[in-house]
Amino acid sequence: MNSKHQQVKLNDGHFIPGLGFGTYTPEEVPKSKTMEATKMAIDAGFRHIDTAHAYQVEEEVGQVIQSKIADGTVKREDIFLTSKLWCTFHRPELVQPSLERSLKKLQLDYVDLYLIHYPVPMKPGEDDFPTDENGKSMLDTVDFCATWEAMEKCKDAGLAKSIGVSNFNHRQLEMILNKPGLKYKPVCNQVECHLYLNQSKLLDFCKSKDIVLVAYGALGTQRPKRWVDPGSPVLLNDPIICAMAKKHNQSSALIALRYLLQRGIVPLAQSYKEKEIRENIQVFEFQLSSEDMKVLDGLNKNLRYLPAEFLADHPNYPFSDEY
């Protein structure tokens, strides 16, 4: 099954494949595993690959894409590649050079989608997570509307086909949408979204503005030691999800992905196991009834696995608002 023919139209006329493969790699996982997994994903039919400067795997992802083009599996235009502008590059003059560095690592001349990773700027410099002598994050003061104008220039320069945001709340999206002289609306908002954090209010808001919601952590995250509370419940072990999976003769992961898909969300699926990667792309092969969807709606507990506490002291920290 190829996810290519399940596409979602973006507000700029481009299309995004309705299921993506995530390449975030926790410190405890070797980058070679991400290379292997990305290769398996493309072989399985994934065409939408999501990466970011901060994941520190752009070179690996680029190598895989090049090798899959070289061996005839795909052409460049078959791949939908997303990368993201990191918090230390929000100053307008740093935006395009940062994208150009990402493109060099990816061995590509454009990305299909470029996102502002978080609405919070951090101190520019070599370190992706700059901290002071007390271990506190060093934040910056940059208006993300100015950052957005620099993103628009990247689109005009042909370096990014589409531009969007990530981890913005609805108020922050409004600020961009209402910006005087706005040239391009964000095509998407990529946020943590899953059965325990179903984002129904933010989703309704995004739909009303023709902005696609892309879901990371769709399967409950990889639970990276640095960022996720080990005491938090494991999403795919939820008894209701497991029962639903049994009923449909599908995996828990497929129930979690299908739930998002049927709400008009583009989920990112992440796995290092070939069996799971091949299974996840089967999400287009079955349906959940409206009764199933209602039951699954009831699992929401507004549980955020990735609260990004390193940004919490900034006035633009996005997760203090309800949505």
Side-chain angles (χ1 to χ4, degrees), residues 122-141:
M122 297 176 79
K123 183 182 166 307
E126 289 301 289
D127 194 351
D128 286 346
F129 293 92
T131 50
D132 64 18
E133 59 278 7
N134 303 315
K136 277 180 76 70
S137 290
M138 296 173 82
L139 305 172
D140 198 9
T141 49

Side-chain angles (χ1 to χ4, degrees), residues 30 109 129 132 137 153 169 187 191 211 225 234 278 280 304 322:
D109 43 24
F129 293 92
D132 64 18
S137 290
K153 291 191 174 83
N169 63 39
V187 298
V191 295
I211 293 169
K225 294 180 178 66
V234 177
R278 292 190 172 279
N280 288 343
R304 196 180 288 284
E322 188 199 350

Side-chain angles (χ1 to χ4, degrees), residues 27-293:
E27 293 153 308
E28 53 268 25
V29 176
K31 293 180 187 185
S32 58
K33 285 199 73 167
T34 295
M35 272 189 89
E36 274 169 56
T38 306
K39 198 171 263 146
M40 293 187 290
I42 293 173
D43 286 337
F46 278 90
R47 295 296 176 260
H48 168 185
I49 312 289
D50 182 272
T51 194
H53 164 83
Y55 303 169
Q56 297 183 351
V57 291
E58 286 176 317
E59 283 170 74
E60 287 78 3
V61 169
Q63 282 174 37
V64 171
I65 292 171
Q66 286 308 319
S67 77
K68 287 286 135 198
I69 291 171
D71 73 9
T73 306
V74 290
K75 299 189 195 63
R76 168 65 186 98
E77 57 270 24
D78 297 328
I79 294 287
F80 187 101
L81 189 284
T82 302
S83 193
K84 309 183 192 82
L85 177 79
W86 186 238
C87 304
T88 54
F89 305 109
H90 277 212
R91 294 183 182 185
E93 68 277 9
L94 301 179
V95 174
Q96 188 168 322
S98 182
L99 173 50
E100 286 168 350
R101 277 196 303 279
S102 285
L103 287 170
K104 201 174 170 173
K105 288 180 182 168
L106 289 160
Q107 302 178 60
L108 299 175
D109 43 24
Y110 67 90
V111 294
D112 296 274
L113 180 58
Y114 198 47
L115 307 180
I116 301 180
H117 205 143
Y118 281 96
V120 180
M122 297 176 79
K123 183 182 166 307
E126 289 301 289
D127 194 351
D128 286 346
F129 293 92
T131 50
D132 64 18
E133 59 278 7
N134 303 315
K136 277 180 76 70
S137 290
M138 296 173 82
L139 305 172
D140 198 9
T141 49
V142 186
D143 176 2
F144 56 67
C145 286
T147 309
W148 185 253
E149 288 172 15
M151 296 284 285
E152 292 177 325
K153 291 191 174 83
C154 291
K155 177 172 163 75
D156 282 333
L159 300 176
K161 299 264 188 206
S162 299
I163 51 174
V165 297
S166 180
N167 297 301
F168 276 51
N169 63 39
H170 89 283
R171 197 174 39 85
Q172 294 168 328
L173 284 169
E174 286 275 29
M175 286 168 76
I176 290 187
L177 295 171
N178 296 331
K179 187 185 84 65
L182 181 72
K183 190 167 185 187
Y184 304 116
K185 284 168 64 167
V187 298
C188 73
N189 187 18
Q190 184 183 129
V191 295
E192 180 180 341
C193 181
H194 44 74
L195 283 155
Y196 286 168
L197 180 70
N198 74 23
Q199 298 280 20
S200 59
K201 287 191 172 170
L202 185 59
L203 176 62
D204 286 344
F205 176 82
C206 286
K207 283 180 173 173
S208 76
K209 304 295 181 185
D210 198 17
I211 293 169
V212 170
L213 197 139
V214 178
Y216 71 78
L219 302 176
T221 80
Q222 300 177 62
R223 309 176 67 85
K225 294 180 178 66
R226 182 178 179 183
W227 306 115
V228 174
D229 172 7
S232 60
V234 177
L235 180 75
L236 296 183
N237 292 352
D238 186 287
I240 291 173
I241 302 172
C242 291
M244 186 82 65
K246 205 169 176 179
K247 173 183 153 184
H248 286 274
N249 197 21
Q250 305 287 349
S251 66
S252 289
L254 278 171
I255 300 298
L257 293 172
R258 185 72 206 178
Y259 171 75
L260 298 174
L261 205 72
Q262 285 187 209
R263 295 166 70 222
I265 293 166
V266 175
L268 303 174
Q270 216 288 333
S271 173
Y272 300 106
K273 297 182 178 135
E274 184 167 22
K275 179 181 174 292
E276 293 177 357
I277 291 168
R278 292 190 172 279
E279 187 178 79
N280 288 343
I281 209 156
Q282 303 298 315
V283 69
F284 300 105
E285 309 289 332
F286 75 104
Q287 266 177 320
L288 296 167
S289 68
S290 53
E291 288 75 20
D292 291 334
M293 292 295 287

